[in-house]
Amino acid sequence: MNLLPSSLRSRVRPTLRLRLTLVYGAVFLLAGLVLLGVTYLLFQQQLVQTFDDRYASPAEPGRFKQLFIKQDGVTLYGDAAMEWLWRQQQELRDAAVTSLLTQGAIALVVVGGAAVGLGWWVAGRVLAPLHLVTATARKIAAAPMAERGLHERIALRGPADEVKDLADTFDTMVERLDHSFDGQRRFVANASHELRTPLTLNRALVELAMHRRTASSDVKELGESLLEINARHERLISGLLLLARSEQEVADRSPVDLADIVTHVTAQTAGQAADAKITVYEVVAPAPTTGDALLLERLVHNLVENGIRYNLDDGTGWVRIVSRTVSGDKVEVEVSNTGPAIPPYDVPLLFKPFHRQAGERAVTGTSAGLGLSIVRSVAIAHGGDVRARPRDGGGLIVAVSLPRATDRSW
């Protein structure tokens, strides 16, 4: 059982490079020990064989009667001389074996350390392409929206080996996904444009029939219903167009103050708030950023409109809009409102297209269900993010953070 916490285990997890280095070092050490053992056996065998070829064993008395050795003023003859030679041979062999083992072990440690360092370097060179694949995959995964990072490519250069095959396959997969997302966005934009023409024609025909002098009250009543349905479809198509446009990164940026946008949107939605008996409060402070002013206006407008639409109907509801600078490099617009209680697990679903509160997905009501999804897309296109949480007592708090404009850009 691993008693370490998961966060600590992730930090001490051995990398593939470390494992390869350890395996390389262990194999080298094992091979070195085997080589040292074989050398020891051969060396000892050679010593014994050399002495036996020159001298007899002390167990063979009388063979070397003429042998004499002078040592420290004493002359040894015969077997005594042979015994002295045997002891010298033993001491010499012991010293040679000790030197062999000691020096061999030291050499094995030094060369083994160098081999481990070399193995670490070689493993790093071999795994470098895999690190490039991982870094590219992380860039794609860290993109605010999946399709935003699909332009990244590994473009690995090198020999046509297994790693390059992996990198090329990854590039091919990402390229196909990129083309798929581009085709999807183009389809939404083109389909929305094509659908506008018949809706415009329908509106013109209905208005023409309604304004005839001979038109009856039933025809006018039916025309009002048809115009209302036509208007809902137009709002849906406009939302799809805006959603497709907002999912593209904003390249042409201009200075925008979110405080000005909040004031403008509050005035725009005053009539809608009055009809719904909702009180709108605004707390504005300078919040300079850069981007597309129309898209940012739509972002704030959708937040305020959402706060008005999903609110209390007893005349006590309110919507609060705040613009502010939250840190040195971030500005924020926050919209909070009263309303029905929203479970925390339902909040992420509100940012999906065609999803509305209470699980409704119909697009024939007053809302097409694209408001918060457009808010999210616009925020991400400007390099920001969106956070939402249920408000205590009911309602929702939605905060959009955007990069703060620098003095030079402002």
Side-chain angles (χ1 to χ4, degrees), residues 192-209:
S192 300
H193 278 297
E194 292 296 328
L195 289 173
R196 275 184 166 183
T197 301
L199 288 178
T200 304
L201 181 59
N202 287 342
R203 184 176 67 250
L205 293 175
V206 172
E207 290 176 348
L208 180 61

Side-chain angles (χ1 to χ4, degrees), residues 209-290:
M210 289 176 57
H211 291 88
R212 285 180 179 177
R213 293 181 180 180
T214 59
S216 63
S217 59
D218 292 338
V219 172
K220 291 182 180 180
E221 184 178 353
L222 177 61
E224 292 292 342
S225 300
L226 292 176
L227 286 178
E228 183 179 353
I229 295 174
N230 202 83
R232 291 170 185 170
H233 291 166
E234 287 180 346
R235 286 196 297 270
L236 172 60
I237 293 172
S238 298
L240 289 174
L241 277 173
L242 184 60
L243 185 62
R245 178 189 172 195
S246 62
E247 287 183 350
Q248 303 293 332
E249 186 174 357
V250 177
D252 187 12
R253 297 173 177 261
S254 58
V256 181
D257 193 341
L258 294 180
D260 297 336
I261 293 180
V262 167
T263 302
H264 178 66
V265 170
T266 303
Q268 275 187 331
T269 57
Q272 182 180 354
D275 293 340
K277 298 180 181 180
I278 301 297
T279 304
V280 178
Y281 304 95
E282 60 174 90
V283 181
V284 295
T289 186
T290 59

Side-chain angles (χ1 to χ4, degrees), residues 284-343:
V284 295
T289 186
T290 59
D292 188 310
L294 292 178
L295 287 178
L296 292 176
E297 179 184 339
R298 173 54 60 181
L299 179 149
V300 178
H301 189 280
N302 283 6
L303 288 176
V304 177
E305 190 178 55
N306 190 77
I308 294 173
R309 179 177 295 116
Y310 301 103
N311 214 307
L312 302 177
D313 55 2
D314 56 2
T316 61
W318 52 262
V319 175
R320 183 171 181 264
I321 318 167
V322 180
S323 65
R324 59 197 171 199
T325 299
V326 293
S327 64
D329 59 348
K330 292 288 183 181
V331 296
E332 185 178 80
V333 57
E334 181 184 272
V335 177
S336 55
N337 67 295
T338 54
I342 302 175

Side-chain angles (χ1 to χ4, degrees), residues 35-300:
L35 178 62
L36 184 61
V38 172
T39 303
Y40 165 75
L41 293 176
L42 294 177
F43 180 74
Q44 189 175 26
Q45 181 180 3
Q46 185 65 29
L47 282 179
V48 173
Q49 182 177 359
T50 301
F51 185 81
D52 288 345
D53 290 343
R54 292 186 178 183
Y55 308 104
S57 171
E60 301 178 2
R63 181 175 178 181
F64 290 95
K65 293 181 179 181
Q66 304 302 321
L67 177 64
F68 65 93
I69 298 175
K70 290 185 178 181
Q71 179 65 20
D72 298 330
V74 178
T75 301
L76 300 177
Y77 296 92
D79 294 338
M82 184 60 197
E83 182 69 24
W84 183 87
L85 288 176
W86 182 262
R87 289 196 302 271
Q88 292 297 314
Q89 187 264 352
Q90 288 291 109
E91 293 177 2
L92 178 62
R93 185 173 61 181
D94 292 342
V97 170
T98 301
S99 177
L100 173 65
L101 294 179
T102 303
Q103 300 299 328
I106 294 175
L108 182 60
V109 170
V110 173
V111 177
V116 170
L118 180 62
W120 178 264
W121 179 79
V122 171
R125 292 293 301 269
V126 171
L127 295 177
L130 293 181
H131 292 323
L132 183 58
V133 174
T134 303
T136 305
R138 284 177 177 170
K139 285 182 181 179
I140 296 175
M145 298 182 69
E147 63 269 25
R148 292 294 172 81
L150 294 179
H151 64 279
E152 298 285 347
R153 298 291 184 274
I154 301 174
L156 183 65
R157 297 181 179 179
D161 52 13
E162 290 83 353
V163 177
K164 191 173 189 307
D165 289 341
L166 172 64
D168 293 343
T169 304
F170 184 87
D171 285 343
T172 302
M173 177 188 68
V174 173
E175 185 175 1
R176 294 185 65 180
L177 288 175
D178 195 13
H179 290 330
S180 176
F181 278 109
D182 283 340
Q184 183 180 9
R185 285 192 293 265
R186 286 194 300 269
F187 171 78
V188 172
N190 294 335
S192 300
H193 278 297
E194 292 296 328
L195 289 173
R196 275 184 166 183
T197 301
L199 288 178
T200 304
L201 181 59
N202 287 342
R203 184 176 67 250
L205 293 175
V206 172
E207 290 176 348
L208 180 61
M210 289 176 57
H211 291 88
R212 285 180 179 177
R213 293 181 180 180
T214 59
S216 63
S217 59
D218 292 338
V219 172
K220 291 182 180 180
E221 184 178 353
L222 177 61
E224 292 292 342
S225 300
L226 292 176
L227 286 178
E228 183 179 353
I229 295 174
N230 202 83
R232 291 170 185 170
H233 291 166
E234 287 180 346
R235 286 196 297 270
L236 172 60
I237 293 172
S238 298
L240 289 174
L241 277 173
L242 184 60
L243 185 62
R245 178 189 172 195
S246 62
E247 287 183 350
Q248 303 293 332
E249 186 174 357
V250 177
D252 187 12
R253 297 173 177 261
S254 58
V256 181
D257 193 341
L258 294 180
D260 297 336
I261 293 180
V262 167
T263 302
H264 178 66
V265 170
T266 303
Q268 275 187 331
T269 57
Q272 182 180 354
D275 293 340
K277 298 180 181 180
I278 301 297
T279 304
V280 178
Y281 304 95
E282 60 174 90
V283 181
V284 295
T289 186
T290 59
D292 188 310
L294 292 178
L295 287 178
L296 292 176
E297 179 184 339
R298 173 54 60 181
L299 179 149
V300 178

